[in-house]
Amino acid sequence: MASAAVRARMVQKLAAQGIADARVLQALGTVERHGFVDSALVNQAYEDTSLPIGLGQTISKPSVVARMVELLLGAPALVGKPQDKLGRVLDIGTGCGYQAAVLSHVASEVYSIERLRGLHEKARANLRPFRLSTVHLLFGDGRLGYPKGAPYAGIVAAAGGEDIPATWIEQLAVGGRIVAPMQSANGGQALVVIDKNARGTERRMLEPVHFVPLKSGIA
Ligand code: SAH
């Protein structure tokens, strides 16, 4: 498959849909999404669709990954710095590892945590050929964060719960940003952005989204 051309077309569509950050478009144009899905789904790898990755979980659609990474790069500490990378990022819900790979292009270090051992191992196998030395895969409950990597310039979650765990806010650096799905007032789910500054935190609810549930414990 001439994947570079197919990816370039995907990136053009993302730009037409309003993704404007060059760092995000560059990252999605680089990471070979077809390396993260089952061979039977490779032909769909660059369509704007979520795909099954096993154990009842899904890889998020490219437009949603792009949107969340773009929001993350809007963290207070990066305002007015359109070329800078984020510092350390915590990625909750590794899944197949695709988003962790994308994040490695826009952040200095990526700590990515998964609660399902089968997917943690699948992500390890998927990422191996890319030799991304700044991606650290962790097996554990992401609701607890990962204190050893804290404080984080950004925290991004691919699974949504009723609340944003207090540990994430504790482990976020001043000037950092959390981007995560969360239950909204109408019982659906919406993206929430939380910024941390010297005075405290600011929270904004954005558009509705559909992510798998954020669960507790490991399995
Ligand atoms: N970013 C992933 C998306 C995977 S779907 C990708 O690119 O493929 C979300 C993942 O979150 C699932 O694999 C699910 O098992 C995981 N998850 C749910 N609750 C979690 C928790 N408390 N800690 C860590 N991972 C969790």
Side-chain angles (χ1 to χ4, degrees):
M1 161 195 267
S3 75
V6 192
R7 259 194 317 286
R9 205 170 334 123
M10 176 186 84
V11 166
Q12 277 168 11
K13 285 188 195 155
L14 292 171
Q17 284 168 32
I19 301 295
D21 193 310
R23 295 164 291 189
V24 178
L25 296 171
Q26 166 78 31
L28 273 103
T30 305
V31 179
E32 299 183 329
R33 194 169 184 260
H34 67 273
F36 294 85
V37 299
D38 288 348
S39 51
L41 299 172
V42 160
N43 289 333
Q44 287 165 264
Y46 296 104
E47 289 171 18
D48 195 23
T49 174
S50 56
L51 294 169
I53 54 174
L55 301 178
Q57 309 302 317
T58 51
I59 179 175
S60 310
K61 45 182 189 172
S63 58
V64 170
V65 173
R67 168 77 170 141
M68 291 181 83
V69 176
E70 187 168 63
L71 283 169
L72 207 60
L73 285 165
L78 281 191
V79 169
K81 299 176 177 172
Q83 259 128 46
D84 282 17
K85 276 190 173 190
L86 275 168
R88 290 189 302 276
V89 167
L90 180 63
D91 175 45
I92 315 279
T94 311
C96 66
Y98 173 71
Q99 183 164 293
V102 170
L103 288 167
S104 76
H105 292 268
V106 303
S108 64
E109 302 282 332
V110 181
Y111 294 85
S112 183
I113 186 159
E114 172 58 54
R115 66 176 289 276
L116 296 176
R117 189 178 285 279
L119 285 176
H120 166 70
E121 278 162 11
K122 188 178 228 176
R124 191 169 290 292
N126 287 344
L127 285 165
R128 192 168 293 125
F130 298 107
R131 298 173 171 274
L132 302 171
S133 59
T134 57
V135 175
H136 312 286
L137 296 182
L138 311 158
F139 173 58
D141 181 355
R143 290 190 56 94
L144 308 176
Y146 182 65
K148 281 188 193 153
Y152 297 102
I155 299 179
V156 60
E162 288 173 16
D163 60 344
I164 296 297
T167 47
W168 298 0
I169 293 168
E170 283 158 21
Q171 291 174 23
L172 188 66
V174 172
R177 173 173 278 189
I178 296 172
V179 180
M182 199 186 97
Q183 209 173 84
S184 53
N186 62 13
Q189 222 181 31
L191 272 188
V192 60
V193 167
I194 300 176
D195 286 341
K196 192 167 181 176
N197 53 47
R199 296 175 304 280
T201 57
E202 274 170 41
R203 181 184 289 234
R204 278 185 298 145
M205 294 296 279
L206 304 178
E207 69 268 22
V209 284
H210 298 283
F211 281 87
V212 296
L214 182 71
K215 298 199 172 160
S216 293
I218 51 174

